[in-house]
Amino acid sequence: MTKDKENHTNDVALWLNGQGVCSDLSATLLPIVNAGIEITDAVLAASLEGKTGAAGSVNVQGEEQKELDIITNDIVLRHLEDCRQVCASVSEEIDELIPITNADKNAPYVVCFDPLDGSSNIETNSIIGTIFSVLQLRRNNRPVTEADILGAANNQVAAGYVLYGPTTSLILTTGKSVAMFVLDCKTKHFVLVQSDMKILPETAEFSINSAYTRFWEPEIFAYVDLCIKGKSGPRQKDYTMRWSGAMIADVHRLFIRGGIFIYPSLNKPGSENGKLRFLYEANPTAMLVEVAGGLAHMRADTIRAHQPTGLHQRVPVILGSRNEVKILIDLYRH
Ligand code: AHM
Ligand code: MG
């Protein structure tokens, strides 16, 4: 890393140091943070450069890729290229695991990432983000395999996201606390603004795409019905609803004012496990939410106890304010 880049991430480096993070993990996270700074510029430039449209290709899930999906994926991979502690990465935009060629022989980390979550928001100039997770593997001098990565999914040592909205924000955890940094675009420096974010235990805000109501499981239907009944129903309070089309923007709201985010299993072909992918959407956001005192479930089971069976496996996702998530998971338990 050049001296210049070190300065860009100074507050983040200091914070990581204060969390007692080892130098190898810091050296893995700082390039991702730098990628977020470069992506901010790419997102700002995309419209005038005519790069907000479709790329003309599909990813492994059969979803249409946007030009910015590819550009941001390349930016993250380029920043990881010289990261000697990272043996491989997994991206929403690439079918197979991606070996990092310059890695040390027994490099312990795998970086899983969604380079541009909510990419259908690009053309409407709405919020998008980069989600990432660092898994720690046990290496034994042989090339890393998909099975190694799946086996290490529950050994997540860091998670975070960079949100490209009115400001660029970085939310990061290495397991002790969740910090928020905001990018100073003039100095290209992430400034620490909150060092110990907590998710409020109570909420009156839910987040689900209700266009799929007819495909919901009865438990989801029953829960949303409780919210909609408001003051005149058993919950005796009025709720509001928000759905941004970018999971990471909806998750960010959980940290700011509490809430519950749900992308459930849908009773239609291909959506039986919902839409969101375990390794680079559900698992990292679950770690952040849990460290901030919230709950992160699939149904009655927690997300972080799940053993994935594929790099791009989808899982139902329920995240947010502890007491509200409990009400929904109790419906699954009874
Ligand atoms: P993406 O990573 O390709 O953008 O897809 C995931 C996004 C989530 O951010 C968001 O919650 C969801 O897709 C929205 O899906 P839907 O259009 O079904 O509401
Ligand atoms: Mg995504």
Side-chain angles (χ1 to χ4, degrees), residues 2 5 31 34 103 172 210 265 281 328 333:
T2 64
K5 279 184 180 168
N34 283 323
L172 186 60
S210 59
S265 155
E281 291 172 322
L328 174 50
R333 285 182 176 144

Side-chain angles (χ1 to χ4, degrees), residues 224-242:
V224 173
D225 193 51
L226 286 176
C227 299
I228 290 170
K229 285 205 168 92
K231 262 191 186 140
S232 50
R235 300 292 323 208
Q236 298 182 328
K237 61 178 176 182
D238 287 336
Y239 285 73
T240 187
M241 196 285 286
R242 294 284 183 276

Side-chain angles (χ1 to χ4, degrees), residues 92 114 117-119 209 212 243 245-247 263 275 277 281:
E92 174 175 320
D114 176 355
D117 181 59
S119 48
N209 187 341
Y212 306 134
W243 185 253
M247 171 208 203
Y263 204 115
K275 178 178 185 187
R277 279 57 52 120
E281 291 172 322

Side-chain angles (χ1 to χ4, degrees), residues 293-320:
L295 291 179
H297 277 245
M298 303 201 302
R299 294 184 180 86
D301 299 325
T302 64
I303 290 173
R304 294 184 71 204
H306 179 66
Q307 271 299 324
T309 54
L311 296 180
H312 302 284
Q313 188 185 23
R314 299 175 196 267
V315 289
V317 170
I318 302 165
L319 301 170

Side-chain angles (χ1 to χ4, degrees), residues 286-300:
M287 181 177 185
L288 288 158
V289 164
E290 283 184 359
V291 173
L295 291 179
H297 277 245
M298 303 201 302
R299 294 184 180 86

